[in-house]
Amino acid sequence: MSSEAANPHFGSARAAVSDPELIVTNLHRNYTGVSTTIGVLLPLQADRHRLWLVGKPLPDFRSAHSLLAALAASRRPPAGRPFRIWHVRRNVELQVAWLARDLLRLPIRIVFTSVAQHVHSFWPRFLIAQADAVIATSKRAASLRPNVAGIVPHGVDTRFFRPPADRAREWAETRLPGRYGIGILGRVRRGKGTDLFVEAMLRLLPRFPDFTAVIVGPCKIRDRAFKAGLVARIEAAGLSSRIRFLGEVEWAEIPAWYRRLSIVVAAARYEPYGVTILEAMASGAAVVATRTGNYEAMIEEDRNGFLAEPGDADSLTAALEKVMSQPDRLPAMSAVSRQRATALFPLEGEADGISKVYETLWQGKDLRPAASGP
């Protein structure tokens, strides 16, 4: 099953745009988390604006233009607008847009989405200060950036990610042991806290025989020794059948895994935002995450999940024990997760919030400080 078939936003008929008012860049050669956030939004944004995707095509938006074509189209303002907006999300894209505006003198304005929750070094700070407007995805990110025009949290597609009709049956169909699945999704590496999750499972699974843990995600060459050490620990504990590395799965299979799992964990030591937990919540899973990213805004403690301290295996174990020791509460926690995802983090709300920033610029309000700089 392809991602196009799985995603309800894909394939809606649209006429080709020859005079875009909005340029959305995706200049990274690899498909990354940023690519995902761009891709899921584009179909909704295309319903609101005449836009071009520039750079690499995306699964949910195949039509893409070259950077040279975008520069050529930006030599003059679009019909009905005083300038084109370039929406960028990476430093290299911000640098290209800045040079296009200030060196080539193109009539464009730059919107930059900032997710990082740390203070950047000099050059990224300088680049961000060149943006005409910064969209922060959380209060913490907003507190660290100039030019912030609005806080617009990432949203989740609540049609693509949805609860199962029968979670127990979905789990049983995996033919994995136990009655409940608990999992972590994402790259296998230290930064994502895969080792912390494994440590917690080594402590807890012997006490909770109804649970089986899965680790869904790729492992890059440089992290293979890290993974091998975890596998060795699992084998030594005699838990190889109940802590399973499933490797990378197709994008179309990801929603199915959320529907199978009763508890989804995000154990990162640092996370800029954390869309995985939103996807899990929309799918009706109870959630446990570390206090990084935007997880504290997503999780209502003791209602849809719990929070743990980053890098602290004891804290993560304690948080997970609170959920695993009360499996009868999982249906209620599932309902709260779904309700919070749909009420607080709808994808449509993200698209609307971004459009408000665009309109503020088009209406002539200069959101940059008088003296821009790091």
Side-chain angles (χ1 to χ4, degrees):
M1 183 178 183
S2 69
S3 60
E4 298 98 296
N7 194 322
H9 290 316
F10 182 83
S12 47
R14 296 186 184 90
V17 173
S18 60
D19 184 29
E21 61 187 17
L22 173 63
I23 302 289
V24 177
T25 57
N26 181 42
L27 302 183
H28 201 288
R29 63 183 179 182
N30 296 325
Y31 190 86
T32 66
V34 174
S35 308
T36 299
T37 61
I38 297 170
V40 296
L41 271 173
L42 279 174
L44 294 178
Q45 290 190 286
D47 289 337
R48 293 160 170 78
H49 305 286
R50 306 190 313 271
L51 71 78
W52 277 6
L53 172 65
V54 170
K56 294 277 289 186
L58 292 167
D60 300 322
F61 208 89
R62 298 282 187 184
S63 176
H65 299 262
S66 70
L67 178 58
L68 287 178
L71 292 170
S74 298
R75 288 180 297 180
R76 59 186 63 85
R81 298 293 193 186
F83 47 78
R84 283 181 174 79
I85 288 177
W86 283 41
H87 191 162
V88 300
R89 291 174 170 84
R90 301 177 175 98
N91 290 343
V92 65
E93 297 167 351
L94 179 52
Q95 182 170 307
V96 168
W98 167 50
L99 293 174
R101 186 194 65 199
D102 291 6
L103 183 63
L104 301 181
R105 301 292 183 182
L106 300 183
I108 67 174
R109 297 292 183 272
I110 305 167
V111 173
F112 177 72
T113 291
S114 176
V115 298
Q117 299 199 18
H118 62 269
V119 177
H120 286 293
S121 58
F122 170 80
W123 185 243
R125 290 204 314 272
F126 173 80
L127 286 176
I128 293 170
Q130 308 315 307
D132 295 282
V134 172
I135 295 173
T137 57
S138 66
K139 291 180 179 179
R140 171 66 175 162
S143 71
L144 299 171
R145 307 288 172 262
N147 319 354
V148 173
I151 299 173
V152 183
H154 286 319
V156 61
D157 186 337
T158 56
R159 290 182 292 169
F160 190 46
F161 297 101
R162 62 190 186 278
D166 186 335
R167 195 174 300 272
R169 184 182 65 195
E170 296 258 0
W171 176 253
E173 289 175 355
T174 69
R175 299 188 181 278
L176 290 169
R179 298 175 57 196
Y180 308 106
I182 178 169
I184 184 170
L185 291 87
R187 273 180 51 198
V188 176
R189 61 188 179 98
R190 185 178 184 279
K192 289 295 185 182
T194 315
D195 55 327
L196 302 173
F197 177 70
V198 168
E199 175 63 30
M201 291 299 96
L202 291 174
R203 298 179 188 182
L204 292 171
L205 289 182
R207 295 170 49 201
F208 298 103
D210 284 341
F211 285 85
T212 289
V214 297
I215 299 154
V216 181
C219 180
K220 293 197 172 183
I221 293 175
R222 64 175 176 266
D223 296 311
R224 286 180 182 173
F226 170 77
K227 177 182 175 181
L230 298 179
V231 171
R233 290 194 64 202
I234 293 166
E235 290 175 348
L239 288 170
S240 296
S241 65
R242 295 181 57 210
I243 305 177
R244 305 285 290 272
F245 284 89
L246 303 183
E248 186 171 14
V249 301
E250 293 293 329
W251 168 247
E253 268 295 294
I254 295 296
W257 275 106
Y258 284 126
R259 292 194 296 270
R260 294 162 184 156
L261 296 174
S262 296
I263 307 169
V264 173
V265 182
R269 288 172 166 85
Y270 167 77
E271 186 72 61
Y273 189 80
V275 174
T276 297
I277 287 297
L278 281 186
E279 294 169 348
M281 287 167 56
S283 306
V287 287
V288 172
T290 49
R291 295 183 186 275
T292 182
N294 203 34
Y295 294 141
E296 289 179 90
M298 301 172 192
I299 296 175
E300 186 174 0
E301 290 249 50
D302 201 32
R303 294 206 65 219
N304 71 315
F306 293 92
L307 293 158
E309 297 306 314
D312 188 333
D314 292 339
S315 179
L316 182 65
T317 301
L320 285 166
E321 184 176 8
K322 291 175 184 176
V323 189
M324 296 171 69
S325 63
Q326 304 177 78
D328 56 310
R329 290 192 59 201
L330 286 171
M333 297 179 83
S334 169
V336 175
S337 276
R338 176 67 181 182
Q339 187 275 329
R340 287 183 66 80
T342 55
L344 302 179
F345 301 97
L347 191 63
E348 293 79 5
E350 183 180 4
D352 289 343
I354 291 171
S355 288
K356 289 178 182 177
V357 174
Y358 297 161
E359 293 296 338
T360 299
L361 281 176
W362 276 321
Q363 290 166 14
K365 184 176 180 182
D366 187 357
L367 295 170
R368 290 185 295 167
S372 61

